[in-house]
Amino acid sequence: MAHSSPDPAHPGRAGPQHVAIIMDGNGRWATNRGLPRLVGHRRGAERVRAIVAAAPGLGIRWLTLYAFSTENWKRSTEEVIGLMRLFARYIEREADRLSANGVRVRFIGDRARLDPRLQALMAGIEARTAANAVLNLTIAVNYGGRDEVTRAARALAVAALRGEIAPEAITEATVAGVLDTAGLPDPDLVIRTSGETRVSNFLPWQAAYAEYEFSPVLWPDFLPAHLAEIMARFGLRERRFGAVAAG
Ligand code: IPE
Ligand code: IPE
Ligand code: MG
């Protein structure tokens, strides 16, 4: 896609402007230490702070983080409630810093199932940071790619029934426009930590042409230096988008 601007260090190549991360391994990090899983999630939230702070310096303009999937409700009530509290606390504690640093915060996922107080915090920080442009931070909460596409299909069906759109006029751009990520560029690079090599329902439409990197590091141990190293490796890859290699 034409979203990336050229990387000055590599004329003709583009660094990843939009990096999406599947932050995995919090539970194992805690279990390895004989600690409750929630301690791992707390430590993971601290890593989010560090990665968000480092992202602009690495040339990242769009950062999307997978925080809670539509499948994560299958976990224990204790873990789910603990995670929801952690999200609320993250927003409350980080709001000033994010605003001051020019970070625009957005959320993707189905909010309807979330606690109204959390929904209000999410809407509040989105509104408060809407004019910021240093870094576009998108946090996926109760996000599932299949759920997102299903909700989009429903929205288009409703529009068609109302006569607002003709079925034959539906294009890829129309579909993209009714996804939660409407208006966001597609990710160039998707990183998953903790050594798992699956996508787990993360951005299936948007990452159709993304590069993938899998890091063995558990999320609570993932440092800006790890991100920088992965970004450097990405710079050496050749992206073809279905065409043939450039001469
Ligand atoms: C990722 O860490 C955070 C969430 C999915 C909320 P996990 O909690 O999945 O950690 P592991 O995979 O059990 O180690
Ligand atoms: C994916 O991790 C979801 C998040 C990181 C929020 P999971 O740990 O839930 O994924 P699976 O269950 O290993 O596929
Ligand atoms: Mg996991």
Side-chain angles (χ1 to χ4, degrees), residues 47-80:
R47 292 290 104 220
V48 169
R49 193 177 301 139
I51 293 296
V52 167
L58 293 170
I60 297 172
R61 286 207 47 223
W62 303 81
L63 179 67
T64 299
L65 303 176
Y66 203 5
F68 192 90
S69 77
T70 46
E71 287 69 43
N72 287 146
W73 297 104
K74 295 176 194 164
R75 298 187 179 198
S76 74
T77 310
E78 184 192 6
E79 183 167 353
V80 168

Side-chain angles (χ1 to χ4, degrees), residues 83-95:
L83 280 164
M84 294 298 154
R85 282 206 186 115
L86 199 55
F87 300 150
R89 210 180 316 146
Y90 176 84
I91 297 171
E92 285 170 336
R93 288 201 183 155
E94 294 302 307

